[in-house]
Amino acid sequence: MKNYIYYVNPMSYNNLSVYDYSLISNIKNYQVEYFCSSKYDYEEKNLNTNKIYHYSSKKGILKILSYLKSQFLLYRKIKLNQDKIRAIHFQWLKIPHLDFLLLKMISKKSEIILTAHNILPHGSGNKYRSIYKKIYHKVDRLIVHTNETKNDLVDLFEVPTNKIHVVPHGILDVLDQTENNRVLESAKMFNDLYGLNNKTVFSSLGSISSYKGIDIIINTWKKKELINRDDVVLLIAGSGKNEKLLELKGVNNAIVINRFLSSHEFLACVRMSDFILMPYTKISQSGILLTAIGEKKRVIVSNVGGLTEPFEIGEIGYVLDKVNSDSLGRAILRAIDEKDNYPDESVWTRLFKYYDWSNIGRKTELVYSV
C-alpha cells in the first residue's frame, strides 16, 4: 500500500517552519517524509526531516545551482521510492520555471499536490502568470485556504473546480511556550523604550511591502485627526524599504522599527498591539492574521482574499468598505471610540475550533486519499 507522503517546502523557515510542523504533526494516517530548508528553525520532534535545501545562504548563479542540486536530490529520492509514495505535497515553489520541469518529470511517477497559499507571488504582477497556469494544470490536486482563492483559480487560470480543495490556514503559534519569557522581555523593552503603556496601539507588522497598504497607513496617520493625538500610537515594525516611512520621521505618535524582527520580538509587537492594520490591496490568506487570532487581537482588514473569513464566525474588528486612507481613517477613529468593546470569549472559541490544526490535518488527509 502506498502510504508515504513526501512533503516538500524549500522555504521552510521562520513562520513557514511553524506552519509545516503544525500541519505535519497532525497528519496521523500517513507516513510523512519532510524535505525542507537547512534553515528550518522550529520543533523537530517526531519529524522525519531531510534538510536538502541550502540555496538561501547563497547568491546569484550559486543560489540557482544549489536549488537545482536540491531538486535533483528530491527527484532521485522520488524515483527510488515511487512504489510506496502516495503523493508528493509541495507547499511552496521557489523558482517556478525550474519547478515546472521537475513536476513534468515526476508527474508520471506519483500524484502531485500543491498548496497555493497565494495564486501568484506577492508584488510580481503578471510576470509569472503563464508559468503558474501551467503548474496549476500539471498538478493533480490543489489546496487553497479560502473559497475566494478557489474561485480565482477557476476564473483566472481555468482550473477545474473539482481538483481544488479548500483547507483553512491554521493559527500560528510563533514560538514554543518555553520561550515565552523572551517575548515578555522584548515587550517590556519596547514598552520602556517607547512609552506604550496606557495608549491604544495600532500596528503594521512583518515585511514592509506595497501590497500591505503601507502607503495607505502612512497617509491615514498623517491626517490631523490622528497625528496630533497623544493617546494613540502607530507601530510599524519589520524589514523592507519604502520611502514613505521617511514621512513619519519626527511624528511623535508614530514608531518605526525598520529591521528584521526575531520571532520573540515579532510576537511581542503583536501582544503590545490593540489593533493590527491590514489594508492589503491583494492577498489570499495572511499568516499575520492567523497569528493575531491566536493572540486574540482585533484587526482592521480590507475586503480581499481570506482576510474577512474570520468575520463570518465573529466580529473581531473592522472591515474596510474601500482600500483607501479615508476608509481606514474612519475605521481607526471608530476603533478608538470603541476600544473597550472586546469580542465575546465565545467568538474566540469558535475561531480556535475552525482554525484548529487537528481539524486541518484531517481535511488534508482527505485530499491525500482522493
Side-chain angles (χ1 to χ4, degrees):
M1 178 180 178
K2 291 187 174 183
N3 201 44
Y4 269 74
I5 301 295
Y6 275 16
Y7 183 112
V8 184
N9 187 357
M11 301 163 65
S12 47
Y13 45 91
N14 298 333
N15 279 1
L16 300 187
S17 65
V18 182
Y19 178 96
D20 288 346
Y21 178 81
S22 301
L23 178 54
I24 294 172
S25 60
N26 282 283
I27 301 296
K28 305 300 184 182
N29 295 309
Y30 292 90
Q31 296 290 322
V32 179
E33 195 158 345
Y34 181 32
F35 296 84
C36 61
S37 167
S38 58
K39 291 174 64 178
Y40 176 86
D41 53 1
Y42 198 65
E43 176 67 62
E44 292 192 51
K45 183 179 179 181
N46 299 324
L47 291 189
N48 183 1
T49 306
N50 298 272
K51 296 183 178 181
I52 65 171
Y53 292 99
H54 309 278
Y55 68 89
S56 57
S57 62
K58 298 174 173 56
K59 296 181 180 180
I61 189 65
L62 293 179
K63 181 187 287 277
I64 296 173
L65 291 175
S66 176
Y67 188 72
L68 274 173
K69 179 181 178 181
S70 301
Q71 295 299 62
F72 174 75
L73 291 174
L74 175 63
Y75 172 76
R76 188 169 64 180
K77 191 76 179 287
I78 292 169
K79 188 176 180 180
L80 287 172
N81 297 287
Q82 60 189 30
D83 291 340
K84 67 177 183 179
I85 300 173
R86 177 71 185 91
I88 303 161
H89 183 181
F90 290 89
Q91 279 295 333
W92 293 90
L93 303 175
K94 179 62 181 177
I95 306 178
H97 288 87
L98 295 180
D99 292 324
F100 178 65
L101 295 178
L102 174 65
L103 296 179
K104 289 180 67 175
M105 292 169 64
I106 63 177
S107 61
K108 295 180 180 179
K109 304 181 186 303
S110 298
E111 292 192 341
I112 302 171
I113 299 167
L114 172 64
T115 296
H117 295 277
N118 303 295
I119 59 174
L120 290 172
H122 288 313
S124 64
N126 288 317
K127 180 179 179 181
Y128 297 105
R129 186 184 180 93
S130 61
I131 187 62
Y132 269 95
K133 183 173 182 178
K134 292 180 180 179
I135 288 170
Y136 292 147
H137 283 267
K138 173 56 67 175
V139 301
D140 296 287
R141 293 184 289 286
L142 284 158
I143 292 175
V144 298
H145 298 311
T146 67
N147 283 310
E148 184 168 338
T149 304
K150 178 178 180 177
N151 293 336
D152 285 343
L153 286 172
V154 173
D155 295 340
L156 302 177
F157 294 90
E158 300 173 341
V159 178
T161 186
N162 62 353
K163 73 185 288 185
I164 308 172
H165 303 263
V166 179
V167 178
H169 186 305
I171 291 173
L172 293 178
D173 294 323
V174 178
L175 291 179
D176 187 284
Q177 288 302 309
T178 59
E179 295 188 323
N180 190 54
N181 286 339
R182 298 182 69 191
V183 178
L184 296 175
E185 290 170 2
S186 293
K188 184 179 185 304
M189 177 191 70
F190 286 136
N191 275 315
D192 292 345
L193 186 60
Y194 299 114
L196 299 178
N197 289 327
N198 302 317
K199 295 186 178 181
T200 304
V201 180
F202 295 85
S203 67
S204 174
L205 305 176
S207 60
I208 296 171
S209 303
S210 58
Y211 79 88
K212 290 185 174 182
I214 192 69
D215 292 9
I216 296 171
I217 292 171
I218 293 172
N219 288 337
T220 302
W221 205 258
K222 289 166 59 182
K223 294 177 182 291
K224 62 182 180 180
E225 298 90 345
L226 292 171
I227 197 169
N228 295 317
R229 298 186 65 139
D230 59 7
D231 60 333
V232 298
V233 171
L234 171 65
L235 171 63
I236 297 177
S239 60
K241 295 181 180 180
N242 191 299
E243 291 185 358
K244 289 286 287 186
L245 294 174
L246 296 175
E247 297 180 17
L248 294 176
K249 190 174 183 179
V251 176
N252 291 329
N253 65 350
I255 299 163
V256 178
I257 307 173
N258 192 200
R259 61 173 174 80
F260 174 78
L261 300 176
S262 66
S263 295
H264 55 274
E265 287 177 324
F266 171 78
L267 192 53
C269 288
V270 173
R271 291 181 179 177
M272 291 187 301
S273 303
D274 293 285
F275 296 89
I276 296 178
L277 305 176
M278 287 181 276
Y280 294 177
T281 57
K282 193 171 184 64
I283 193 75
S284 294
Q285 185 55 284
S286 167
I288 292 176
L289 174 65
L290 276 302
T291 302
I293 292 172
E295 293 295 323
K296 299 182 180 179
K297 292 298 177 178
R298 292 166 291 179
V299 297
I300 299 177
V301 302
S302 51
N303 188 10
V304 298
L307 296 184
T308 61
E309 183 180 63
F311 288 79
E312 298 172 10
I313 299 172
E315 294 292 329
I316 58 168
Y318 307 92
V319 178
L320 303 180
D321 52 5
K322 294 181 179 178
V323 189
N324 59 35
S325 58
D326 288 338
S327 180
L328 179 59
R330 288 193 297 271
I332 290 175
L333 290 172
R334 183 181 171 190
I336 295 171
D337 290 339
E338 301 175 349
K339 64 180 180 180
D340 295 326
N341 296 343
Y342 288 92
D344 188 83
E345 191 63 30
S346 62
V347 171
W348 300 113
T349 300
R350 292 195 301 272
L351 284 167
F352 288 175
K353 182 178 180 180
Y354 180 77
Y355 293 112
D356 178 66
W357 281 107
S358 61
N359 177 45
I360 292 166
R362 287 192 296 271
K363 289 185 176 182
T364 302
E365 288 187 355
L366 290 175
V367 180
Y368 294 162
S369 66
V370 171

